[in-house]
């Protein structure tokens, strides 16, 4: 029987606090600005991927949550090609190694949260795919080196190769060799950052990030000021806020950057609107919470969709998550280990319309916090015969 080679990993979602929006090279996914994110805990949101190869496989394949995916797209192909080329170099340097680089790949993956619903599945998905194949090929590449490859799958995926606080430095080289992710600080540096995600809609989003950012680059007049002036300044300030564990500074930068990014979306011609009434209600309630505290203890941010991600510190859990639980306690999500521990707190001077808007528009909450990067696991989604494991 032919050997089946396997390696498995889990990988996290990341949510940017300084957003990537705009490409200077769409095929290499080279961005027009640097970005910075918080990696979220895999206890709550994770992708689990097994990469396998064998001389018996006839074609490359990818099974995601039980459904076959097209692997012929340029993004997946770029990841396969780059990883095979690194494996082939290893094989050339050591003739005793099996020639895995010439075998077809079978990838099986599971997301434990909705795919393509604005919850960064592409980031966790491509980070897991790249990490699992790199482990299968026994590559010695560092997470930063692998970030160059994951970035070609999906830009934001390059940041999911690390835990904690992660920057993606835009770089300037035309070949993308310096457009890489690096760790700003590990999660242990500032472990008490938490997040509550208010899932406004699990439906597929209207305008994909890939196409939305292209339209913004081509037509927005605000965009270049954001990319050239505002983001570089914010990157410096955000790294400093994280080093100093200054939540108020972190919060203001996060909210300003989300607002600024969505302003460039509205300035795209024709305009793109990712925020909806539920999103605006979440902004209002965060403002109420901060006003009641007399300082910024909660920070909202929105990706290319209406879901709110609200960051806060563990010590303010009651004053932030507890207030949301006060009126969203019936929604799915509080039954988790983390959610069950949140104590209900009655909010002060909450905007009644906003509270009603959230009650009407939020389908589910996810309680999470800062977490670790990809973790190698022995739980394989491909069995010893090379078949996908049915779950
Ligand atoms: P999201 O907001 O969830 O990131 P996108 O539409 O940007 O949504 O990306 C979804 C796409 O990412 C999927 O159609 C698929 O191509 C890819 N993707 C998601 N999860 C995985 C995974 N686990 N493995 C490989 N690719 C994945
Ligand atoms: C708003 O990484 O999904 O979430 O590179 O085209 O795959 P592609 O785009 P993607 O864009 C993410 C945009 C964002 C901001 C961010 O995560 O930094």
């Amino acid at each position: 029987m032919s050997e089946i080679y396997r390696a498995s990993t889990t990988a996290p979602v990341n949510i940017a606090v300084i957003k990537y929006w705009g490409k200077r090279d769409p095929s290499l996914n080279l961005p027009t600005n640097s970005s910075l994110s918080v990696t979220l805990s895999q206890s709550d949101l994770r992708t689990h991927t097994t990469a396998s190869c064998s001389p018996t496989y006839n074609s490359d394949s990818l099974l995601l949550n039980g459904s076959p995916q097209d692997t012929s797209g340029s993004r997946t192909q770029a990841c396969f090609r780059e990883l095979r080329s690194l494996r082939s170099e290893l094989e050339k340097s050591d003739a005793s190694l099996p020639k895995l680089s010439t075998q077809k790949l079978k990838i099986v993956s599971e997301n434990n949260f909705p795919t393509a619903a604005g919850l960064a599945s592409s980031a966790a998905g491509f980070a897991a795919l790249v990490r699992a194949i790199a482990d299968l090929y026994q590559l010695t590449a560092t997470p930063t080196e692998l970030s160059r490859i994951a970035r070609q799958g999906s830009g934001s995926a390059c940041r999911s190769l690390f835990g904690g606080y992660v920057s993606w430095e835009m770089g300037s080289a035309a070949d993308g060799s310096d457009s890489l992710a690096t760790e700003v600080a590990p999660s242990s540096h500032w472990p008490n950052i938490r997040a509550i995600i208010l899932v406004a809609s699990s439906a597929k989003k209207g305008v994909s990030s890939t196409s939305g950012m292209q339209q913004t680059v081509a037509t927005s007049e605000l965009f270049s000021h954001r990319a050239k002036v505002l983001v570089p300044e914010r990157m410096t300030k955000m790294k400093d806020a994280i080093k100093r564990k200054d939540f108020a500074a972190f919060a203001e930068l996060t909210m300003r950057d989300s607002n600024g990014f969505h302003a460039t979306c509205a300035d795209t011609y024709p305009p793109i609107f990712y925020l909806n009434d539920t999103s605006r209600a979440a902004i209002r309630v965060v403002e109420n919470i901060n006003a009641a505290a007399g300082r910024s203890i909660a920070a909202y941010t929105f990706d290319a969709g209406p879901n709110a991600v609200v960051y806060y510190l563990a010590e303010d859990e009651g004053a932030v998550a507890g207030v949301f639980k006060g009126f969203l306690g019936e929604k799915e999500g509080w039954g988790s280990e983390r959610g069950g521990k949140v104590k209900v707190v009655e909010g002060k001077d909450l905007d009644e319309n906003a509270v009603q808007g959230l009650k009407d528009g939020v389908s589910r909450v996810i309680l999470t916090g800062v977490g670790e990067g990809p973790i190698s696991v022995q739980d394989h989604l491909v069995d010893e015969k090379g078949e996908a494991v049915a779950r």
Side-chain angles (χ1 to χ4, degrees), residues 333-377:
W334 299 104
S336 67
E337 206 191 323
R338 249 185 233 272
K341 288 188 189 141
V342 176
K343 288 208 185 72
V344 171
V345 171
E346 202 180 324
K348 263 196 270 163
D349 299 327
L350 297 181
D351 179 323
E352 280 174 27
N353 288 332
V355 167
Q356 192 55 48
L358 289 179
K359 282 184 181 171
D360 293 342
V362 171
S363 59
R364 160 185 181 189
V365 301
I366 299 170
L367 276 296
T368 184
V370 64
E372 306 303 325
I375 300 165
S376 164
V377 294

Side-chain angles (χ1 to χ4, degrees), residues 14 16 18-21 23 29 35 75 122 151 153-157 159 209-210 213 261 302-304:
N14 72 77
I18 304 290
K19 306 289 187 194
Y20 149 51
W21 198 251
K23 300 174 203 259
N29 276 344
S35 55
R75 291 158 167 241
S122 55
R151 186 242 300 145
S154 179
S156 52
R159 300 184 309 240
S209 334
T210 306
M213 64 177 88
F261 148 50
F302 299 84
D303 279 349

Side-chain angles (χ1 to χ4, degrees), residues 20 22-31 73-79 81-82 148-155 168 174-176 210 213-214:
Y20 149 51
K23 300 174 203 259
R24 62 181 198 276
D25 181 326
S27 62
L28 287 171
N29 276 344
L30 299 181
S74 55
R75 291 158 167 241
T76 310
Q77 282 300 316
C79 295
R81 188 177 58 244
E82 296 270 2
R148 182 183 62 79
I149 301 176
R151 186 242 300 145
Q152 296 174 57
S154 179
W168 169 14
D175 67 356
T210 306
M213 64 177 88
Q214 295 292 84

Side-chain angles (χ1 to χ4, degrees), residues 105-330:
L105 285 159
K106 180 180 286 191
I107 316 289
V108 179
S109 183
E110 285 173 357
N111 296 333
N112 76 340
F113 59 95
T115 299
L119 291 172
S121 71
S122 55
F126 276 104
L129 179 131
V130 168
R131 182 76 259 177
I133 301 174
D135 291 349
L136 174 74
Y137 288 170
Q138 299 190 318
L139 303 180
T140 54
T142 63
T144 288
E145 284 159 349
L146 292 180
S147 77
R148 182 183 62 79
I149 301 176
R151 186 242 300 145
Q152 296 174 57
S154 179
S156 52
C158 74
R159 300 184 309 240
S160 273
L161 287 163
F162 291 91
Y165 305 86
V166 188
S167 73
W168 169 14
E169 303 296 334
M170 64 179 286
S172 56
D175 67 356
S177 51
D178 58 355
S179 187
L180 304 169
T182 56
E183 182 187 86
V184 173
S187 62
S188 58
H189 164 74
W190 202 10
N192 48 342
I193 289 268
R194 298 282 179 274
I196 176 168
I197 305 176
L198 307 175
V199 181
S201 156
S202 295
K204 272 183 166 260
K205 55 194 171 199
V207 181
S208 73
S209 334
T210 306
S211 118
M213 64 177 88
Q214 295 292 84
Q215 294 168 38
T216 302
V217 172
T219 65
S220 166
E221 288 160 353
L222 292 183
F223 164 76
S224 72
H225 181 63
R226 166 178 169 77
K228 291 200 184 100
V229 180
L230 300 177
V231 168
E233 284 173 9
R234 286 187 193 137
M235 284 293 290
T236 307
K237 288 184 187 158
M238 184 60 92
K239 287 177 188 170
D240 185 53
I242 291 168
K243 287 218 168 78
R244 291 185 294 108
K245 299 184 237 181
D246 178 346
F247 189 82
F250 170 93
E252 181 172 339
L253 288 162
T254 296
M255 293 187 281
R256 280 186 181 275
D257 194 72
S258 175
N259 295 343
F261 148 50
H262 289 280
T264 67
C265 293
D267 187 52
T268 301
Y269 194 77
I272 305 171
F273 303 111
Y274 289 117
L275 306 186
N276 63 16
D277 287 348
T278 310
S279 321
R280 284 183 282 276
I283 293 175
R284 187 66 65 217
V285 169
V286 166
E287 284 173 352
N288 294 158
I289 288 172
N290 288 339
R295 62 197 163 91
S296 291
I297 59 169
Y300 56 78
T301 185
F302 299 84
D303 279 349
N307 303 329
V309 176
V310 179
Y311 286 114
Y312 59 91
L313 291 175
E315 48 266 45
D316 294 319
E317 183 133 82
V320 182
V323 169
F324 284 109
K325 195 175 186 178
F327 58 87
L328 294 178
E330 303 297 307

